[in-house]
Amino acid sequence: ASCDKDDDKDPTLYEKLGGTERVADPAGGGMIEKGRLGLRSVVDSTIFVIAADPSLSPYFASLLGEVGSGNLTNLAVLSKNLTDFFCVATGAENFAYDGLDMAAAHDPARNPRMALKADNASYDSFIAAVVVGAQQNSVPSELITEVGALLETLRTTVVQR
């Protein structure tokens, strides 16, 4: 029998999503934590779902204009920031989120990259987009439910109209 205190600890959502096991990174070579790779895959899929959703794409007008012109710089920044945020929010210990706080990130007056303030309907659409992105990456439904619950905790901060 082990005396390790961590044996009785429930796994974090990050651990359930793949955790710290190192795997090959198909996007950039090298190695990446399996949990981060999974979350990055969901984030990238979600960004494409958002871009195709006429109710959400206006929020990202400048980004979509840049991508349409072949400039992927800020798309990569968004992917990294959102992946970092999800890693930290799901319990990863090896990453830090150093982007704007959620209120500032979703306020066009403080974040010129955000075109509009979110309302409840658009936040519902965003959560639905994350669900689709997760489903596209074969995330189990019980973990999608946990991610959805996590996103719900941010509603009052993100929804500003």
Side-chain angles (χ1 to χ4, degrees):
S2 171
C3 293
D4 187 355
K5 294 177 187 175
D6 289 339
D7 285 350
D8 294 332
K9 189 173 93 174
D10 289 334
T12 65
L13 182 52
Y14 185 78
E15 290 166 334
K16 294 176 193 176
L17 290 166
T20 59
E21 177 187 346
R22 308 281 298 169
V23 295
D25 184 352
M31 301 297 282
I32 187 171
E33 287 189 4
K34 190 174 181 181
R36 183 174 182 83
L37 175 60
L39 286 167
R40 186 184 71 198
S41 298
V42 169
V43 163
D44 290 347
S45 294
T46 299
I47 290 170
F48 285 106
V49 172
I50 289 169
D53 184 334
S55 72
L56 291 175
S57 59
Y59 289 88
F60 300 93
S62 62
L63 176 67
L64 296 175
E66 293 165 358
V67 170
S69 298
N71 179 352
L72 304 180
T73 301
N74 286 312
L75 176 64
V77 169
L78 176 62
S79 174
K80 181 191 179 308
N81 281 343
L82 200 48
T83 300
D84 287 347
F85 176 80
F86 273 113
C87 285
V88 172
T90 59
E93 296 178 1
N94 298 330
F95 302 99
Y97 171 72
D98 60 4
L100 297 172
D101 66 70
M102 289 297 102
H106 294 90
D107 181 356
R110 296 189 280 169
N111 179 8
R113 305 227 22 106
M114 191 67 165
L116 305 165
K117 286 187 177 185
D119 59 17
N120 276 307
S122 62
Y123 197 64
D124 289 342
S125 294
F126 171 75
I127 291 174
V130 173
V131 169
V132 170
Q135 289 170 334
Q136 290 174 347
N137 288 278
S138 303
V139 175
S141 60
E142 65 273 8
L143 298 184
I144 294 173
T145 300
E146 286 188 54
V147 171
L150 172 69
L151 291 172
E152 273 301 326
T153 68
L154 300 172
R155 183 178 292 272
T156 57
T157 304
V158 172
V159 172
Q160 299 179 17
R161 66 175 170 110

PDB file of all heavy atoms in Angstrom, residues 47-48 51 60-76 78 113:
ATOM      1  N   ILE A  47     -12.430  27.455 -33.345  1.00  0.00           N
ATOM      2  CA  ILE A  47     -12.218  28.704 -34.088  1.00  0.00           C
ATOM      3  C   ILE A  47     -12.843  28.586 -35.478  1.00  0.00           C
ATOM      4  O   ILE A  47     -13.496  29.526 -35.956  1.00  0.00           O
ATOM      5  CB  ILE A  47     -10.723  29.067 -34.152  1.00  0.00           C
ATOM      6  CG1 ILE A  47     -10.225  29.482 -32.751  1.00  0.00           C
ATOM      7  CG2 ILE A  47     -10.474  30.179 -35.165  1.00  0.00           C
ATOM      8  CD1 ILE A  47      -8.715  29.636 -32.629  1.00  0.00           C
ATOM      9  N   PHE A  48     -12.688  27.448 -36.131  1.00  0.00           N
ATOM     10  CA  PHE A  48     -13.287  27.258 -37.459  1.00  0.00           C
ATOM     11  C   PHE A  48     -14.810  27.196 -37.381  1.00  0.00           C
ATOM     12  O   PHE A  48     -15.507  27.705 -38.261  1.00  0.00           O
ATOM     13  CB  PHE A  48     -12.711  26.015 -38.149  1.00  0.00           C
ATOM     14  CG  PHE A  48     -11.327  26.248 -38.672  1.00  0.00           C
ATOM     15  CD1 PHE A  48     -10.232  25.694 -38.019  1.00  0.00           C
ATOM     16  CD2 PHE A  48     -11.110  27.030 -39.792  1.00  0.00           C
ATOM     17  CE1 PHE A  48      -8.942  25.915 -38.487  1.00  0.00           C
ATOM     18  CE2 PHE A  48      -9.825  27.265 -40.266  1.00  0.00           C
ATOM     19  CZ  PHE A  48      -8.735  26.701 -39.624  1.00  0.00           C
ATOM     20  N   ALA A  51     -15.911  30.783 -36.986  1.00  0.00           N
ATOM     21  CA  ALA A  51     -15.765  31.528 -38.245  1.00  0.00           C
ATOM     22  C   ALA A  51     -16.911  31.232 -39.210  1.00  0.00           C
ATOM     23  O   ALA A  51     -17.312  32.106 -39.985  1.00  0.00           O
ATOM     24  CB  ALA A  51     -14.422  31.207 -38.896  1.00  0.00           C
ATOM     25  N   PHE A  60     -15.390  38.543 -34.441  1.00  0.00           N
ATOM     26  CA  PHE A  60     -13.993  38.328 -34.813  1.00  0.00           C
ATOM     27  C   PHE A  60     -13.707  38.896 -36.198  1.00  0.00           C
ATOM     28  O   PHE A  60     -12.898  38.350 -36.948  1.00  0.00           O
ATOM     29  CB  PHE A  60     -13.675  36.830 -34.760  1.00  0.00           C
ATOM     30  CG  PHE A  60     -13.894  36.237 -33.398  1.00  0.00           C
ATOM     31  CD1 PHE A  60     -15.110  35.658 -33.069  1.00  0.00           C
ATOM     32  CD2 PHE A  60     -12.905  36.285 -32.436  1.00  0.00           C
ATOM     33  CE1 PHE A  60     -15.333  35.127 -31.806  1.00  0.00           C
ATOM     34  CE2 PHE A  60     -13.115  35.755 -31.173  1.00  0.00           C
ATOM     35  CZ  PHE A  60     -14.327  35.180 -30.852  1.00  0.00           C
ATOM     36  N   ALA A  61     -14.359  40.007 -36.538  1.00  0.00           N
ATOM     37  CA  ALA A  61     -14.252  40.577 -37.881  1.00  0.00           C
ATOM     38  C   ALA A  61     -12.806  40.884 -38.275  1.00  0.00           C
ATOM     39  O   ALA A  61     -12.381  40.549 -39.391  1.00  0.00           O
ATOM     40  CB  ALA A  61     -15.114  41.833 -37.981  1.00  0.00           C
ATOM     41  N   SER A  62     -12.043  41.501 -37.383  1.00  0.00           N
ATOM     42  CA  SER A  62     -10.661  41.853 -37.751  1.00  0.00           C
ATOM     43  C   SER A  62      -9.821  40.601 -37.966  1.00  0.00           C
ATOM     44  O   SER A  62      -9.057  40.516 -38.930  1.00  0.00           O
ATOM     45  CB  SER A  62     -10.022  42.770 -36.706  1.00  0.00           C
ATOM     46  OG  SER A  62      -9.935  42.138 -35.450  1.00  0.00           O
ATOM     47  N   LEU A  63      -9.978  39.612 -37.116  1.00  0.00           N
ATOM     48  CA  LEU A  63      -9.225  38.363 -37.258  1.00  0.00           C
ATOM     49  C   LEU A  63      -9.589  37.665 -38.571  1.00  0.00           C
ATOM     50  O   LEU A  63      -8.709  37.234 -39.318  1.00  0.00           O
ATOM     51  CB  LEU A  63      -9.495  37.430 -36.080  1.00  0.00           C
ATOM     52  CG  LEU A  63      -8.832  36.056 -36.167  1.00  0.00           C
ATOM     53  CD1 LEU A  63      -7.320  36.175 -36.073  1.00  0.00           C
ATOM     54  CD2 LEU A  63      -9.361  35.142 -35.085  1.00  0.00           C
ATOM     55  N   LEU A  64     -10.862  37.568 -38.854  1.00  0.00           N
ATOM     56  CA  LEU A  64     -11.283  36.883 -40.076  1.00  0.00           C
ATOM     57  C   LEU A  64     -10.830  37.643 -41.319  1.00  0.00           C
ATOM     58  O   LEU A  64     -10.469  37.028 -42.329  1.00  0.00           O
ATOM     59  CB  LEU A  64     -12.794  36.665 -40.066  1.00  0.00           C
ATOM     60  CG  LEU A  64     -13.286  35.742 -38.950  1.00  0.00           C
ATOM     61  CD1 LEU A  64     -14.807  35.676 -38.932  1.00  0.00           C
ATOM     62  CD2 LEU A  64     -12.686  34.342 -39.078  1.00  0.00           C
ATOM     63  N   GLY A  65     -10.803  38.963 -41.239  1.00  0.00           N
ATOM     64  CA  GLY A  65     -10.275  39.757 -42.350  1.00  0.00           C
ATOM     65  C   GLY A  65      -8.797  39.488 -42.574  1.00  0.00           C
ATOM     66  O   GLY A  65      -8.346  39.358 -43.716  1.00  0.00           O
ATOM     67  N   GLU A  66      -8.036  39.394 -41.478  1.00  0.00           N
ATOM     68  CA  GLU A  66      -6.606  39.088 -41.582  1.00  0.00           C
ATOM     69  C   GLU A  66      -6.383  37.709 -42.201  1.00  0.00           C
ATOM     70  O   GLU A  66      -5.549  37.549 -43.101  1.00  0.00           O
ATOM     71  CB  GLU A  66      -5.946  39.144 -40.204  1.00  0.00           C
ATOM     72  CG  GLU A  66      -5.898  40.520 -39.598  1.00  0.00           C
ATOM     73  CD  GLU A  66      -5.583  40.509 -38.109  1.00  0.00           C
ATOM     74  OE1 GLU A  66      -5.431  39.414 -37.502  1.00  0.00           O
ATOM     75  OE2 GLU A  66      -5.503  41.608 -37.545  1.00  0.00           O
ATOM     76  N   VAL A  67      -7.128  36.733 -41.709  1.00  0.00           N
ATOM     77  CA  VAL A  67      -6.987  35.365 -42.224  1.00  0.00           C
ATOM     78  C   VAL A  67      -7.348  35.333 -43.707  1.00  0.00           C
ATOM     79  O   VAL A  67      -6.661  34.700 -44.511  1.00  0.00           O
ATOM     80  CB  VAL A  67      -7.848  34.377 -41.404  1.00  0.00           C
ATOM     81  CG1 VAL A  67      -7.894  33.012 -42.068  1.00  0.00           C
ATOM     82  CG2 VAL A  67      -7.314  34.263 -39.981  1.00  0.00           C
ATOM     83  N   GLY A  68      -8.402  36.052 -44.079  1.00  0.00           N
ATOM     84  CA  GLY A  68      -8.804  36.115 -45.478  1.00  0.00           C
ATOM     85  C   GLY A  68      -7.745  36.723 -46.374  1.00  0.00           C
ATOM     86  O   GLY A  68      -7.672  36.421 -47.566  1.00  0.00           O
ATOM     87  N   SER A  69      -6.894  37.574 -45.792  1.00  0.00           N
ATOM     88  CA  SER A  69      -5.801  38.194 -46.536  1.00  0.00           C
ATOM     89  C   SER A  69      -4.512  37.378 -46.464  1.00  0.00           C
ATOM     90  O   SER A  69      -3.482  37.806 -46.959  1.00  0.00           O
ATOM     91  CB  SER A  69      -5.531  39.598 -45.988  1.00  0.00           C
ATOM     92  OG  SER A  69      -6.664  40.410 -46.146  1.00  0.00           O
ATOM     93  N   GLY A  70      -4.579  36.220 -45.803  1.00  0.00           N
ATOM     94  CA  GLY A  70      -3.407  35.362 -45.704  1.00  0.00           C
ATOM     95  C   GLY A  70      -2.530  35.620 -44.495  1.00  0.00           C
ATOM     96  O   GLY A  70      -1.479  35.001 -44.346  1.00  0.00           O
ATOM     97  N   ASN A  71      -2.942  36.528 -43.607  1.00  0.00           N
ATOM     98  CA  ASN A  71      -2.165  36.829 -42.409  1.00  0.00           C
ATOM     99  C   ASN A  71      -2.687  35.957 -41.265  1.00  0.00           C
ATOM    100  O   ASN A  71      -3.777  36.184 -40.755  1.00  0.00           O
ATOM    101  CB  ASN A  71      -2.296  38.312 -42.058  1.00  0.00           C
ATOM    102  CG  ASN A  71      -1.525  38.688 -40.801  1.00  0.00           C
ATOM    103  OD1 ASN A  71      -1.001  37.842 -40.083  1.00  0.00           O
ATOM    104  ND2 ASN A  71      -1.463  39.980 -40.535  1.00  0.00           N
ATOM    105  N   LEU A  72      -1.891  34.968 -40.864  1.00  0.00           N
ATOM    106  CA  LEU A  72      -2.303  34.027 -39.825  1.00  0.00           C
ATOM    107  C   LEU A  72      -1.704  34.338 -38.451  1.00  0.00           C
ATOM    108  O   LEU A  72      -1.911  33.578 -37.504  1.00  0.00           O
ATOM    109  CB  LEU A  72      -1.932  32.612 -40.243  1.00  0.00           C
ATOM    110  CG  LEU A  72      -2.493  32.139 -41.597  1.00  0.00           C
ATOM    111  CD1 LEU A  72      -2.046  30.721 -41.898  1.00  0.00           C
ATOM    112  CD2 LEU A  72      -3.996  32.265 -41.652  1.00  0.00           C
ATOM    113  N   THR A  73      -0.990  35.451 -38.334  1.00  0.00           N
ATOM    114  CA  THR A  73      -0.294  35.783 -37.091  1.00  0.00           C
ATOM    115  C   THR A  73      -1.242  35.828 -35.899  1.00  0.00           C
ATOM    116  O   THR A  73      -1.005  35.181 -34.878  1.00  0.00           O
ATOM    117  CB  THR A  73       0.446  37.128 -37.232  1.00  0.00           C
ATOM    118  OG1 THR A  73       1.375  37.018 -38.310  1.00  0.00           O
ATOM    119  CG2 THR A  73       1.187  37.483 -35.949  1.00  0.00           C
ATOM    120  N   ASN A  74      -2.307  36.614 -35.999  1.00  0.00           N
ATOM    121  CA  ASN A  74      -3.203  36.758 -34.850  1.00  0.00           C
ATOM    122  C   ASN A  74      -4.087  35.532 -34.645  1.00  0.00           C
ATOM    123  O   ASN A  74      -4.561  35.306 -33.534  1.00  0.00           O
ATOM    124  CB  ASN A  74      -4.022  38.039 -34.970  1.00  0.00           C
ATOM    125  CG  ASN A  74      -3.157  39.248 -34.685  1.00  0.00           C
ATOM    126  OD1 ASN A  74      -2.430  39.278 -33.693  1.00  0.00           O
ATOM    127  ND2 ASN A  74      -3.207  40.238 -35.557  1.00  0.00           N
ATOM    128  N   LEU A  75      -4.288  34.735 -35.685  1.00  0.00           N
ATOM    129  CA  LEU A  75      -4.971  33.452 -35.508  1.00  0.00           C
ATOM    130  C   LEU A  75      -4.127  32.560 -34.602  1.00  0.00           C
ATOM    131  O   LEU A  75      -4.644  31.933 -33.674  1.00  0.00           O
ATOM    132  CB  LEU A  75      -5.220  32.771 -36.854  1.00  0.00           C
ATOM    133  CG  LEU A  75      -5.853  31.382 -36.794  1.00  0.00           C
ATOM    134  CD1 LEU A  75      -7.254  31.444 -36.198  1.00  0.00           C
ATOM    135  CD2 LEU A  75      -5.887  30.763 -38.191  1.00  0.00           C
ATOM    136  N   ALA A  76      -2.811  32.529 -34.842  1.00  0.00           N
ATOM    137  CA  ALA A  76      -1.911  31.742 -33.993  1.00  0.00           C
ATOM    138  C   ALA A  76      -1.899  32.275 -32.565  1.00  0.00           C
ATOM    139  O   ALA A  76      -1.875  31.502 -31.604  1.00  0.00           O
ATOM    140  CB  ALA A  76      -0.498  31.744 -34.583  1.00  0.00           C
ATOM    141  N   LEU A  78      -4.409  33.911 -31.029  1.00  0.00           N
ATOM    142  CA  LEU A  78      -5.679  33.523 -30.419  1.00  0.00           C
ATOM    143  C   LEU A  78      -5.658  32.055 -30.010  1.00  0.00           C
ATOM    144  O   LEU A  78      -6.055  31.704 -28.898  1.00  0.00           O
ATOM    145  CB  LEU A  78      -6.843  33.786 -31.375  1.00  0.00           C
ATOM    146  CG  LEU A  78      -8.221  33.320 -30.878  1.00  0.00           C
ATOM    147  CD1 LEU A  78      -8.617  34.045 -29.597  1.00  0.00           C
ATOM    148  CD2 LEU A  78      -9.262  33.513 -31.970  1.00  0.00           C
ATOM    149  N   ARG A 113      -9.456  44.058 -30.496  1.00  0.00           N
ATOM    150  CA  ARG A 113      -9.621  42.882 -31.353  1.00  0.00           C
ATOM    151  C   ARG A 113     -11.023  42.286 -31.189  1.00  0.00           C
ATOM    152  O   ARG A 113     -11.451  41.472 -31.986  1.00  0.00           O
ATOM    153  CB  ARG A 113      -8.566  41.836 -31.024  1.00  0.00           C
ATOM    154  CG  ARG A 113      -7.174  42.449 -31.137  1.00  0.00           C
ATOM    155  CD  ARG A 113      -6.122  41.724 -31.882  1.00  0.00           C
ATOM    156  NE  ARG A 113      -6.483  40.767 -32.851  1.00  0.00           N
ATOM    157  CZ  ARG A 113      -6.387  40.977 -34.176  1.00  0.00           C
ATOM    158  NH1 ARG A 113      -6.024  42.145 -34.660  1.00  0.00           N
ATOM    159  NH2 ARG A 113      -6.669  40.011 -35.014  1.00  0.00           N
TER     160      ARG A 113
END
